Amino acid sequence: MIKIKEAIIVEGKYDRQRVSALFDTAVIETGGFRVFKDGEKRAVIRSLAEKKGVILLTDSDGAGFVIRNYLKGAVKNGVKQAYIPEVAGKERRKAQPSKEGLLGVEGMTDEIIKNAVLRSGATVIDGDCGSCCGQGGVITKADLYELGLSGHDNSAVLRKRVLKELGFPQYMTANALLSALKLLYTKEELSKITEQIKGELYDKA
């Protein structure tokens, strides 16, 4: 597998499975057009772009470009573009080809996917890359409880402040927050942020 710094954004779960087998990094699926109404998903992608950078790898059909252009506008900074060629055909799992009769990311060869991502300007990492690859302590549910972000009387207040500090939607649940944190931060980084906010809250109390 090729270890890279940037997260890769794809359309669906089968794309994610294919890309995850080739690259050692976070791979996020948009759920197709569902990302247009999914504020939490957009917030995570935006945070990934700011912290690590993201690479957009969508299908080569019209729908893929609609999603690509939407995310480019929604995220703005830290975005790189990876393009696959237009290849006629259909994936084996599908009974019918796509509307435009083109293979999607999941139907591309390993070599094409690798070349598309690397040519986008992906930052290849050799050896230990620290927190950028999720090392330094993977965050768990127990960590959220230990830090006071869940399971305590004042957890909702503290979690809301942490969400604001990290640039996430205020209505994010503890589980949604956990999923995002695993991609973006180490346990040590989260602890530092949380303790700082606790100090601000309790100093005022």
Side-chain angles (χ1 to χ4, degrees):
M1 295 177 72
I2 302 173
K3 182 181 291 186
I4 63 173
K5 177 183 178 182
E6 295 84 1
I8 303 175
I9 312 303
V10 297
E11 292 183 48
K13 67 177 182 179
Y14 294 103
D15 300 330
R16 176 174 54 78
Q17 290 170 1
R18 287 283 288 113
V19 175
S20 294
L22 303 174
F23 289 93
D24 181 4
T25 190
V27 182
I28 308 298
E29 60 183 90
T30 67
F33 293 147
R34 287 196 295 274
V35 73
F36 297 171
K37 297 182 179 180
D38 191 339
E40 290 187 358
K41 181 67 66 69
R42 292 197 304 275
V44 170
I45 293 174
R46 192 176 295 114
S47 295
L48 280 168
E50 292 174 356
K51 188 174 179 67
K52 301 175 55 167
V54 297
I55 297 172
L56 302 182
L57 178 63
T58 63
D59 294 348
S60 60
D61 59 9
F65 273 83
V66 169
I67 294 170
R68 180 189 296 275
N69 291 332
Y70 173 81
L71 288 176
K72 183 180 178 181
V75 177
K76 294 183 172 63
N77 299 317
V79 178
K80 296 179 180 179
Q81 304 277 359
Y83 298 97
I84 60 170
E86 292 187 358
V87 179
K90 75 173 183 68
E91 287 76 13
R92 292 181 180 179
R93 67 178 182 84
K94 296 180 179 179
Q96 300 293 332
S98 66
K99 184 177 180 181
E100 296 178 34
L102 299 174
L103 289 174
V105 170
E106 66 169 290
M108 295 291 117
T109 65
D110 290 355
E111 197 65 23
I112 288 176
I113 295 174
K114 287 179 181 178
N115 286 338
V117 170
L118 296 177
R119 287 172 181 169
S120 74
T123 306
V124 179
I125 295 168
D126 183 14
D128 186 6
C129 63
S131 64
C132 68
C133 290
Q135 298 177 10
V138 177
I139 298 169
T140 66
K141 283 187 176 181
D143 294 326
L144 295 189
Y145 179 82
E146 180 183 334
L147 292 171
L149 293 169
S150 67
H152 300 273
D153 292 339
N154 63 341
S155 291
V157 174
L158 180 59
R159 190 165 64 247
K160 186 175 182 179
R161 284 292 301 273
V162 170
L163 286 167
K164 183 178 180 180
E165 177 69 21
L166 300 181
F168 291 152
Q170 295 297 292
Y171 54 80
M172 234 178 175
T173 64
N175 284 337
L177 174 60
L178 177 61
S179 296
L181 290 172
K182 284 181 176 180
L183 295 171
L184 290 161
Y185 297 93
T186 65
K187 180 180 178 180
E188 289 79 2
E189 289 172 331
L190 177 62
S191 178
K192 183 177 180 180
I193 293 168
T194 305
E195 291 305 318
Q196 180 180 343
I197 292 173
K198 282 181 180 178
E200 294 172 359
L201 286 173
Y202 302 144
D203 285 346
K204 295 178 181 178

